[in-house]
Amino acid sequence: MLVAAAVCPCPPLLVPEVAAGAAPELDTVRAACTDAVGVLAAARPDLLVVVGPGDGPGPESYPQGTPGSFRGFGVDLAVRLGRGEGPAGRELPYGLAVGAWLLGRTGWAGTPVEGRGVGEPLTAERCVEEGESIAGRAERVAMLVMGDASACRTLKAPGYLDERAAPFDAELARALGAADTGALRALDTGLAAELKVSGRAPWQVLAGAARGGAALRGTLLHEDAPYGVGYIVAAWS
């Protein structure tokens, strides 16, 4: 059963070594993410599942100990999903690598950790089914859900300016802050793709995991759009 969740953005720029001289610009987001992960630790889960954008449609499984790196972003920095050695020859996709970095930064230890990658092509129905399956993995399950909102908030955003982006992100922030699983399940998948939203599938997995379990209360910890990309941090407990 899902007992807690943390929702965090997953830009590699969240990692100070990647952001370099621009690192202080995201200090507020990092602090909010740390607070969200603290909610997971306080829930004392039996299992932590990190869900984020995958390299393929997925779902893809990444066992505890799977390595990741930020070499693709010009930084020789390695991370690992929890403790131990994972499978050889396989690396975390970038969103899960950022999640692993967050867990390492906050000193996560003890609780088993697994990763699941879900891609943009995955339907809402399949995402919800994946979430329900995750929630049934242990008596007390926590989730760290990685994903960005729209990438079309300004003229200099990766997806240029789209007037639909700000209202989409505002409703998304409301739904994540209120733990509104119905609104998350009903997200417009086509519009999310047009607005280059990387978190749509992970958030719908979260909605599925929360369905049928104990009612969770949400708290919106941060919402902003630096660089024209929506970053939302929320905690459910």
Side-chain angles (χ1 to χ4, degrees):
M1 180 176 70
L2 184 70
V3 296
V7 174
C8 296
C10 62
L13 287 174
L14 204 62
V15 179
E17 290 87 342
V18 175
E25 297 175 12
L26 295 183
D27 280 347
T28 303
V29 184
R30 294 185 192 99
C33 290
T34 298
D35 291 342
V37 173
V39 171
L40 302 183
R44 296 183 173 274
D46 301 316
L47 173 68
L48 173 64
V49 181
V50 184
V51 180
D55 290 332
E60 301 166 323
S61 180
Y62 296 89
Q64 178 160 311
T66 302
S69 78
F70 296 96
R71 285 188 292 272
F73 301 94
V75 175
D76 188 16
L77 176 65
V79 293
R80 194 171 293 277
L81 191 63
R83 296 184 172 183
E85 295 291 330
R90 194 171 188 209
E91 285 206 346
L92 299 168
Y94 82 93
L96 295 184
V98 175
W101 174 82
L102 273 176
L103 293 178
R105 181 175 186 261
T106 55
W108 189 275
T111 303
V113 182
E114 298 177 5
R116 298 290 280 178
V118 289
E120 191 275 329
L122 206 65
T123 66
E125 294 77 12
R126 185 65 188 88
C127 288
V128 169
E129 291 173 359
E130 170 69 10
E132 291 173 339
S133 174
I134 288 173
R137 294 287 310 281
E139 185 174 345
R140 297 179 63 81
V141 176
M143 292 175 63
L144 173 56
V145 185
M146 309 298 297
D148 299 339
S150 70
C152 303
R153 292 280 291 272
T154 65
L155 292 173
K156 294 184 178 181
Y160 197 65
L161 176 64
D162 190 314
E163 293 181 355
R164 300 171 297 173
F168 182 93
D169 287 358
E171 169 56 18
L172 182 59
R174 185 208 63 79
L176 290 169
D180 187 342
T181 58
L184 294 174
R185 291 196 302 271
L187 285 174
D188 186 327
T189 57
L191 178 58
E194 291 175 14
L195 295 177
K196 303 186 183 302
V197 176
S198 71
R200 190 275 305 171
W203 297 325
Q204 289 187 322
V205 171
L206 170 61
R211 189 164 71 171
L216 301 179
R217 296 183 61 182
T219 302
L220 182 64
L221 300 176
H222 182 82
E223 193 277 326
D224 198 2
Y227 318 119
V229 181
Y231 295 162
I232 299 172
V233 183
W236 295 13
S237 61

